[in-house]
Amino acid sequence: AFLVDVDANFNVTGDGIALDMETSNQGNITAGLVDIHADMNGLRGLELTANSLDGSAIALLSDVNVQQNGAVGIYADLTAAQDAGLAVTDSDSVGNTGRGLNAQLNAGNDAYFFAGDFAAEDLDNVFNFGADIGPLVDLIPTGAVDFSGNGNGGLFLDAVSTGGDVILGLNGATANNNGNMGFNLNLTAANGDILGDVLWTAATNNGGHGLTLDLAGGGGNSGVMLTRVTTADNGGNGLNILDNYTGNLFVGGELLTSVNNAANGVRIVSDGAGLLELDFGGGGTSGGLSSFFGNGNRDFRYNNGTAITVDAQNNWWGVAPPAAGQFAGNIDWSNWLLAAP
């Protein structure tokens, strides 16, 4: 299914667009929605449901703009026996009563979620959907995404793989001034790896946490890297990282800004049983160069289920030297910067 240049506004009692797709054989589902406007509808702006009983389900949302709807702005639920993939680029979902984007991916094999500047390219690299579209693929708008000013949160993602990996790519995304969390990213690979990159992303002035990253499941070797992420003035933690993964896991951060949040600048809670490595500066992967200060509880808190030390060197803590009361848990905050990077 391909919807291009569609307006669906001011429907008082229902959704703007509701697209439901299902296969009963071994076929795949491909959906492309480009240049969509769905504003001020009584319920959701856009609802996309795809269920591939034996194949894969992929969807691309480009230049999708939904505002001031009475429920979730964009609701996407992709279920597939094989792969499930969703990409969102050059899109805004702002001022809705519910969440800006509520995305659920349930894959028997791999689950992919891409949002922001390079989302269409990333999806094409995996699934080669451009072969189906032909030369029109070069006309697809690409750019940043914005999930701000929504009543119940900015972006909620629940990506689950039962037999493969979960892959996250977030590059050029904003979620500010939401009533609840800015970004709530739940990644579960029951028998595989979690691989994620979050770059050039901002979550400020949200009622809950700025960005929550919840990693679960068990498999081989997983890793998520946060780069140039800003979380400021949120009602909870700036960065809220939860480790429930039983395999080996790396989480790192570089060039981050997490300041003036009501709770902690960074809070990491580890209940996973696997080998955990946390590098926010000085551990060999991250150069640090982040700013953590002015937060209501601690600037960096690690509640460890495993007895490791968090590398957090080469960062700016608002003062030099920082005070021990800015930290909780086993954190190496040595070699602090003398000024903001």
Side-chain angles (χ1 to χ4, degrees):
F2 297 93
L3 279 67
V4 180
D5 190 14
V6 176
D7 292 340
N9 306 315
F10 304 108
N11 297 286
V12 176
T13 59
D15 301 330
I17 297 173
L19 177 61
D20 299 324
M21 308 174 69
E22 182 171 334
T23 66
S24 58
N25 53 37
Q26 295 182 356
N28 301 317
I29 294 175
T30 302
L33 290 86
V34 180
D35 189 13
I36 305 295
H37 293 268
D39 303 331
M40 298 184 182
N41 297 288
L43 295 177
R44 293 171 287 197
L46 167 63
E47 179 254 325
L48 169 63
T49 302
N51 185 8
S52 178
L53 300 181
D54 290 295
S56 298
I58 66 171
L60 170 66
L61 308 183
S62 172
D63 193 16
V64 173
N65 301 281
V66 297
Q67 300 182 46
Q68 300 180 34
N69 294 283
V72 173
I74 302 171
Y75 176 86
D77 186 347
L78 277 62
T79 300
Q82 297 300 319
D83 298 334
L86 175 63
V88 185
T89 186
D90 191 34
S91 297
D92 300 325
S93 184
V94 300
N96 300 286
T97 301
R99 293 170 172 145
L101 170 60
N102 188 323
Q104 300 184 31
L105 305 176
N106 294 281
N109 194 25
D110 297 331
Y112 299 87
F113 179 81
F114 305 116
D117 294 312
F118 303 103
E121 179 180 343
D122 290 339
L123 191 71
D124 190 31
N125 288 338
V126 176
F127 293 103
N128 193 27
F129 70 83
D132 297 327
I133 301 174
L136 292 177
V137 69
D138 295 326
L139 301 179
I140 294 174
T142 60
V145 292
D146 187 12
F147 308 106
S148 296
N150 299 287
N152 199 30
L155 164 60
F156 173 85
L157 169 65
D158 188 19
V160 178
S161 166
T162 57
D165 302 330
V166 175
I167 293 89
L168 167 71
L170 196 62
N171 190 330
T174 302
N176 301 329
N177 304 307
N178 294 287
N180 203 327
M181 294 189 199
F183 295 96
N184 189 354
L185 310 174
N186 302 308
L187 312 179
T188 302
N191 296 286
D193 299 335
I194 300 171
L195 304 172
D197 283 297
V198 181
L199 304 93
W200 293 104
T201 293
T204 64
N205 291 294
N206 296 289
H209 305 313
L211 188 151
T212 287
L213 186 62
D214 191 341
L215 309 171
N221 298 293
S222 293
V224 178
M225 188 68 185
L226 309 170
T227 307
R228 296 190 182 277
V229 176
T230 297
T231 53
D233 301 298
N234 295 289
N237 301 314
L239 292 174
N240 188 53
I241 301 171
L242 309 175
D243 165 31
N244 295 290
Y245 188 73
T246 60
N248 299 331
L249 177 64
F250 167 86
V251 179
E254 187 174 63
L255 298 166
L256 308 175
T257 300
S258 191
V259 300
N260 300 327
N261 298 285
N264 302 281
V266 179
R267 187 188 183 201
I268 302 173
V269 179
S270 173
D271 292 315
L275 179 65
L276 178 63
E277 180 184 358
L278 300 171
D279 185 0
F280 288 77
T285 301
S286 168
L289 302 177
S290 298
S291 295
F292 307 111
F293 61 86
N295 298 286
N297 192 315
R298 305 296 175 95
D299 291 318
F300 209 115
R301 174 182 287 273
Y302 173 48
N303 299 105
N304 53 310
T306 55
I308 68 166
T309 298
V310 181
D311 290 306
Q313 300 182 44
N314 307 314
N315 295 307
W316 170 240
W317 304 99
V319 294
Q326 293 178 251
F327 308 92
N330 296 326
I331 300 167
D332 180 2
W333 40 271
S334 62
N335 298 317
W336 56 81
L337 299 180
L338 301 179

